[in-house]
């Protein structure tokens, strides 16, 4: 048995746009994902989150599902425009406040700790149309104002706050490759958006620490990162893998833990990478109480030497050239339905890389999981592939902890099948199966297994 510490936090995660539905109900304003998903061609089969899992109307049932699992923690996000319909505090939507109050109270009444993400990509559309969203520095203040509203209304009961989910995805997929909202394609905007994301996070954290210290909670940010394994042990490939990790994760975590961007980004990006003033550096450094990490996969990195090869995972767009790295997947590795390779040892290596680079921070894995081609047969979904994925990654977490990594919790993505962004409903990440016709939820084999892992506080090996 691989046993976990007695205070280890076992959780599961979702996000507002992916599960709530009720897109135009009870005074909610539109978000960039409402708009983006309704542009023909942006999402597979032109699907959208208008109804999604209808969690907005099935919240009590969903909390019972979490209780049956024995979850310690539930990570969900607040839809910014459900609370502030135009993104500003001009109007606070009481019905939105009421919904999240009911959810929080229901969780606590069932012994489940709420972990709230303030921003999981559903930016109020008005801020995009009128202010250019994350490209405008003013967004940092808008976000801090929104965060303050959340601390005011929910902070008496909520003690775990995640400001922003996955700055890399917001910047690179939203402003670089354009495959996520707001759908822009550029090789400079990602770095501007990323800069404002860091400032927004830091301002919200400062509001929490300065005005709400008496609430006694913790606030941090969640970044995503894959592992980058050098293709060969040549010095050039080793340096390429390191550079790829710096362009992915250290882009956001170096400013927060060290006060500045990685030197390699400064050198390679020139004036496309904004700079922090002395005052901003102080605001940003030390602004996260824990290291939130979403991790799914691993790629092989090799030095590109100016030549981006056919088949590079990120194509010829800015990402590959900027870091001068070729990324590939070993053809012998098994993959999930997203095409993401299943490499548990990459998870261990990444955790140890973070541990060493940032002096042993408290890490929480706020997402890990996989999409698999689930089939419901006689009322049962026997997702042995997902179960094996999670078992492998949890084993890797345990090994990293034995090597000193301060991992404090693990949240499985996702509690239930949901709207998988540009992939629509075709990609299922849930440990509960959702029938999108009837919206009925059914625990998969992985859910029944995860319940036992939580109950035993460990993995049978
Ligand atoms: C994360 N990538 O998204 C998100 O936080 C979730 O909302 C999402 O459902 C989950 O992972 C599964 O996709 C990512 O291309 C999207 O590297 C894309 C990437 C990584 C994470």
């Amino acid at each position: 048995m691989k046993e976990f510490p007695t205070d280890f936090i076992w959780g599961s995660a979702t996000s507002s746009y992916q599960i709530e539905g009720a897109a135009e109900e009870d005074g909610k304003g539109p978000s960039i994902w409402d708009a983006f998903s309704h542009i023909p061609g942006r999402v597979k089969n032109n699907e959208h989150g208008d109804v999604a899992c209808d969690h907005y109307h099935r919240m009590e049932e969903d909390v019972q599902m979490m209780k049956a699992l024995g979850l310690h923690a539930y990570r969900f996000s607040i839809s910014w425009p459900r609370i502030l319909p135009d993104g500003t505090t001009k109007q606070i939507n009481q019905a939105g406040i009421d919904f999240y109050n009911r959810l929080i109270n229901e969780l606590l009444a069932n012994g489940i700790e709420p972990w709230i993400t303030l921003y999981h990509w559903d930016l109020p559309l008005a801020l995009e149309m009128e202010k250019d969203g994350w490209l405008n520095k003013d967004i940092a203040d808008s976000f801090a104002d929104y965060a303050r509203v959340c601390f005011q209304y929910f902070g008496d009961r909520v003690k775990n706050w995640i400001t922003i989910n996955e700055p890399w995805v917001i910047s690179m997929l939203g402003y670089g490759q354009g495959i996520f909202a707001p759908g822009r394609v550029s090789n400079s905007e990602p770095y501007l958006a990323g800069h404002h994301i860091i400032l927004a996070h830091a301002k919200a954290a400062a509001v929490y620490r300065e005005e709400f210290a008496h609430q006694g909670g913790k606030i941090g940010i969640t970044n995503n990162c894959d592992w980058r394994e050098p293709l060969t042990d040549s010095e050039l490939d080793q340096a390429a893998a390191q550079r790829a990790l710096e362009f992915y994760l250290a882009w956001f975590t170096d400013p927060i833990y060290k006060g500045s961007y990685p030197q390699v980004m400064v050198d390679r990006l020139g004036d496309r990478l904004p700079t922090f003033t002395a005052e901003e550096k102080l605001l940003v450094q030390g602004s996260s109480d824990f290291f939130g990490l979403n991790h799914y996969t691993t790629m092989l990195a090799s030095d590109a030497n100016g030549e981006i090869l056919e088949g590079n995972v990120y194509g010829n767009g800015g990402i590959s050239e900027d870091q001068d790295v070729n990324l590939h997947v070993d053809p012998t590795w098994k993959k999930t339905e997203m095409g993401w390779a299943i490499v548990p040892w990459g998870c261990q290596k990444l955790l140890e890389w973070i541990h060493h680079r940032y002096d042993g921070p408290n890490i929480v894995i706020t997402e890990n999981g996989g999409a698999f081609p689930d089939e419901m047969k006689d009322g049962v979904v026997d997702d042995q592939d997902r179960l094996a994925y999670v078992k492998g990654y949890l084993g890797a977490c345990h090994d990293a902890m034995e090597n000193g990594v301060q991992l404090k919790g693990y949240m499985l993505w996702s509690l239930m099948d949901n709207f998988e962004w540009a992939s629509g409903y075709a990609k299922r990440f849930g440990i509960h199966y959702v029938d999108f016709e009837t919206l009925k939820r059914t625990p998969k084999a992985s859910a029944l297994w995860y319940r036992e892992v939580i109950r035993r506080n460990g993995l049978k090996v």
Side-chain angles (χ1 to χ4, degrees):
M1 168 114 148
K2 291 193 179 198
E3 221 180 302
F4 284 73
T6 48
D7 57 354
F8 194 77
I9 303 160
W10 295 103
S12 186
T14 63
S15 86
S16 48
Y17 190 69
Q18 293 179 277
I19 67 164
E20 283 179 3
E24 293 185 20
E25 252 172 85
D26 292 345
K28 174 183 166 293
S31 79
I32 56 172
W33 266 97
D34 289 310
F36 185 77
S37 63
H38 281 279
I39 300 173
R42 295 297 181 271
V43 174
K44 188 158 184 234
N45 301 323
N46 293 324
E47 287 165 344
H48 49 71
D50 288 7
V51 177
C53 305
D54 196 33
H55 169 72
Y56 188 76
H57 297 114
R58 292 161 198 255
M59 178 273 284
E60 283 85 1
E61 177 196 337
D62 290 340
V63 173
Q64 288 313 306
M65 189 161 94
M66 301 173 208
K67 190 184 181 187
L69 266 183
L71 285 190
H72 304 172
Y74 172 52
R75 172 181 178 235
F76 63 97
S77 75
I78 290 180
S79 160
W80 182 347
R82 196 180 288 291
I83 300 238
L84 306 179
D86 75 353
T88 75
T89 53
K90 254 183 251 158
Q91 192 208 333
I92 296 179
N93 180 33
Q94 190 57 43
I97 301 280
D98 293 346
F99 170 70
Y100 294 111
N101 266 332
R102 282 192 286 118
L103 170 56
I104 292 162
N105 292 342
E106 194 71 15
L107 289 169
L108 292 172
N110 285 283
I112 302 163
E113 200 61 40
W115 280 63
I116 292 187
T117 308
L118 290 170
Y119 185 74
H120 201 126
W121 311 351
D122 40 1
L123 186 75
L125 184 59
L127 293 182
E128 181 66 38
M129 292 179 68
E130 296 165 7
K131 308 205 83 174
D132 292 333
W134 291 104
L135 298 179
N136 185 334
K137 197 169 186 178
D138 288 353
I139 190 129
D141 290 313
S142 308
F143 181 71
D145 289 344
Y146 156 61
R148 181 183 290 106
V149 171
C150 294
F151 304 146
Q152 269 164 356
Y153 282 94
F154 310 127
D156 56 332
R157 287 151 295 149
V158 175
K159 304 301 164 191
N160 300 284
W161 296 97
I162 296 167
T163 52
I164 295 177
N165 181 65
E166 301 191 345
W168 183 92
V169 169
I170 300 168
S171 308
M172 273 302 170
L173 304 190
Y175 291 87
Q177 304 212 315
I179 59 173
F180 283 5
R184 297 177 66 93
V185 178
S186 161
N187 73 354
S188 60
E189 287 182 2
Y191 302 108
L192 188 60
H195 193 72
H196 298 152
I197 289 170
I198 295 168
L199 289 172
H201 152 76
K203 284 201 171 180
V207 166
Y208 190 65
R209 290 171 178 180
E210 282 161 21
E211 300 170 31
F212 299 92
H214 59 280
Q215 293 182 346
K218 290 193 165 66
I219 188 158
I221 186 167
T222 276
N223 280 285
N224 65 301
C225 195
D226 308 337
W227 176 246
R228 299 294 184 237
E229 181 71 9
L231 177 66
T232 72
D233 57 14
S234 76
E235 265 173 41
L236 281 175
D237 286 353
Q238 289 190 38
Q242 187 69 15
R243 203 157 65 238
L245 290 165
E246 290 177 334
F247 267 83
Y248 202 142
L249 183 60
W251 172 7
F252 300 101
T253 48
D254 270 20
I256 292 171
Y257 287 88
K258 296 172 183 281
S260 46
Y261 285 120
Q263 190 57 42
V264 70
M265 291 187 75
V266 176
D267 294 344
R268 296 190 61 87
L269 295 172
D271 57 16
R272 286 186 291 149
L273 189 68
T275 51
F276 295 110
T277 65
E279 205 185 320
E280 287 168 347
K281 268 189 186 201
L282 288 175
L283 183 76
V284 169
Q285 193 169 7
S287 59
S288 204
D289 293 327
F290 52 87
F291 195 112
L293 177 70
N294 294 350
H295 174 76
Y296 289 93
T297 191
T298 286
M299 291 176 197
L300 297 172
S302 52
D303 186 55
N305 193 20
E307 199 191 334
I308 303 306
L309 298 176
E310 189 81 22
N312 184 311
V313 173
Y314 293 113
N316 274 336
I319 304 181
S320 316
E321 270 102 25
D322 288 350
Q323 57 193 38
D324 199 31
V325 175
N326 277 309
L327 293 173
H328 292 91
V329 172
D330 184 322
T332 68
W333 290 343
K334 282 199 188 134
K335 296 197 189 89
T336 71
E337 222 194 351
M338 297 296 282
W340 298 351
I342 305 172
V343 189
W345 53 259
C347 180
Q348 181 182 351
K349 288 194 179 189
L350 177 64
L351 287 169
E352 291 177 4
W353 188 85
I354 293 167
H355 181 74
H356 291 120
R357 189 177 182 97
Y358 301 116
D359 273 341
N362 286 336
I363 303 173
V364 178
I365 292 192
T366 43
E367 282 180 29
N368 174 248
F372 293 94
D374 298 317
E375 260 183 73
M376 168 84 87
K377 274 192 205 127
D378 305 322
V380 172
V381 182
D382 194 24
D383 59 339
Q384 293 301 322
D385 36 17
R386 178 175 294 103
L387 190 160
Y389 175 105
V390 176
K391 193 172 182 183
Y393 276 79
L394 273 175
C397 288
H398 191 270
D399 294 347
M401 290 164 80
E402 283 186 331
N403 289 342
V405 169
Q406 299 298 306
L407 182 66
K408 301 301 175 188
Y410 175 90
M411 316 221 178
L412 212 166
W413 185 271
S414 176
L415 179 69
M416 58 183 134
D417 297 334
N418 57 49
F419 177 77
E420 179 50 32
W421 308 112
S423 308
Y425 295 97
K427 298 286 186 279
R428 294 177 176 271
F429 273 89
I431 54 174
H432 291 87
Y433 186 87
V434 177
D435 177 329
F436 288 104
E437 299 289 318
T438 63
L439 296 171
K440 184 177 183 311
R441 288 90 157 110
T442 307
K444 303 179 190 176
S446 56
L448 304 174
W449 171 82
Y450 192 48
R451 185 183 68 191
E452 290 309 301
V453 172
I454 296 174
R455 197 184 53 77
R456 280 197 296 266
N457 196 39
L459 286 179
K460 262 202 214 149
V461 278

